[in-house]
Amino acid sequence: MGETKTLLRIGALALMWGSSFFWIKLGLGAFSPVQLVLARVALGAAVLIGLCYLGRDRLPSGRRIWGHLAVAAFFHNALPFLLFAWGELTVDSGITGVLNATTPLWVLLAAPMLGARTKMTSVRVAGLIAGLAGILLIFAPWQASGLLSWGALACLAAAASYGFAFVYEGKYLTGTGDSPLSLAGGQMLLATGFLLLAMPMGGFEPVHLSTGAIVAVVILGIGSTGIAFALNYQLLASEGAVAASIVGYLLPVVSVLLGAVFLAEPLNLRVIAGMVVVLGGVALTRLRPRERGTFATAPVVERPLAAAGEAAP
């Protein structure tokens, strides 16, 4: 973990994924949510498939694998990407990043529903309760000035969709014989198809092109989606899931700082406290018991794809 290369990868991933909410907010100034997400997944698919062929890797074969990839593409990419983009029409990019960090909480809830092997310890239950309390603290529904809105609920639904997708991928896309990079490329290609089908839902609205919005979408698609996905795969392969999980804790910090500094998004002590509580709860849910009663960090379920656990919207 102390090696310079590892630290650079972690920092680059935190920056690329944490900034994705910032780029989404800028892109929405010119594109509708459907248009923005279509451009994002298409660019991401092009990068990932290009990397597959450069590495002499092939896309998965077999109807069954592609069926499972279609489910993963919908719940891991198409649906949550759209929900986050739609949510950011009314929700600050920094808050969106914090809500995205609740994904491991939803993984913990989804795992038993899909029959995944995970132990619900008292520590994880405490983490789940703390995380949900942090969400309530951020939303403050008891205040007239609270952040609870349909857009915020859409962002939470996106994080829940990630949670379901990670468990599904761990159950059906592990041990297929295909590399995570080839699975990711195929999945992003299918997500592009889903977004093409969604074009009647706002995809034909007028586009108000601007240089800033175009640059934002290109960076979002190529950097925060394609390159970041591949970079996380390298980090998982070289350092393991514990190192990769650190990115999940840095991501909301990056999104909050970018939103506050460059978009002048308001930041108050209640939201900061809520973020700390959410991240603390997430940390507890990612612990597993050792034989002698101590704990070590670990993923809640096994996840085969590169962006599992820390995927940015």
Side-chain angles (χ1 to χ4, degrees):
M1 284 297 298
E3 293 182 0
T4 302
K5 185 180 293 186
T6 299
L7 293 176
L8 288 175
R9 284 175 177 171
I10 290 174
L13 275 172
L15 182 59
M16 283 189 283
W17 276 337
S19 66
S20 63
F21 310 97
F22 174 77
W23 302 123
I24 289 172
K25 181 67 76 173
L26 292 182
L28 288 173
F31 302 96
S32 71
V34 173
Q35 293 165 347
L36 184 147
V37 177
L38 174 59
R40 175 184 184 176
V41 294
L43 289 170
V47 170
L48 290 168
I49 293 173
L51 290 174
C52 280
Y53 282 99
L54 285 176
R56 297 183 179 180
D57 204 354
R58 294 183 178 181
L59 291 178
S61 60
R63 186 174 300 177
R64 184 175 181 180
I65 293 296
W66 281 98
H68 289 313
L69 282 176
V71 176
F74 182 79
F75 288 101
H76 191 159
N77 304 112
L79 179 61
F81 284 11
L82 269 178
L83 287 173
F84 274 121
W86 183 68
E88 280 206 50
L89 290 173
T90 57
V91 179
D92 288 345
S93 63
I95 298 298
T96 307
V98 176
L99 297 179
N100 177 72
T102 66
T103 294
L105 304 178
W106 305 110
V107 171
L108 197 63
L109 291 174
M113 299 177 187
L114 291 177
R117 291 184 297 176
T118 182
K119 188 175 182 180
M120 185 67 78
T121 64
S122 58
V123 174
R124 285 177 176 168
V125 172
L128 182 60
I129 294 173
L132 296 177
I135 294 172
L136 283 177
L137 185 58
I138 292 171
F139 283 167
W142 57 85
Q143 294 183 357
S145 59
L147 300 177
L148 187 61
S149 64
W150 286 111
L153 292 177
C155 293
L156 270 183
S161 183
Y162 278 149
F164 169 82
F166 295 154
V167 179
Y168 185 91
E169 291 163 0
K171 184 174 183 178
Y172 295 107
L173 292 173
T174 300
T176 62
D178 298 290
S179 75
L181 194 58
S182 66
L183 289 171
Q187 182 173 318
M188 203 66 70
L189 185 63
L190 289 171
T192 304
F194 283 129
L195 264 299
L196 287 173
L197 294 176
M199 284 296 287
M201 300 166 52
F204 299 111
E205 294 182 4
V207 176
H208 307 285
L209 289 179
S210 67
T211 302
I214 294 174
V215 170
V217 172
V218 170
I219 294 176
L220 180 65
I222 294 178
S224 298
T225 305
I227 295 176
F229 218 121
L231 185 59
N232 191 50
Y233 165 57
Q234 293 178 348
L235 184 62
L236 282 167
S238 63
E239 299 295 339
V242 175
S245 68
I246 296 175
V247 179
Y249 300 102
L250 297 176
L251 187 154
V253 177
V254 173
S255 69
V256 168
L257 288 177
L258 287 176
V261 174
F262 294 102
L263 298 176
E265 294 177 350
L267 192 60
N268 56 55
L269 291 178
R270 190 193 76 244
V271 172
I272 295 175
M275 179 177 70
V276 172
V277 174
V278 166
L279 293 179
V282 167
L284 290 176
T285 65
R286 296 172 71 88
L287 297 178
R288 63 178 175 84
R290 291 177 184 251
E291 291 183 359
R292 296 185 180 181
T294 57
F295 291 85
T297 56
V300 175
V301 293
E302 185 178 9
R303 294 161 297 173
L305 297 186
E310 291 79 37

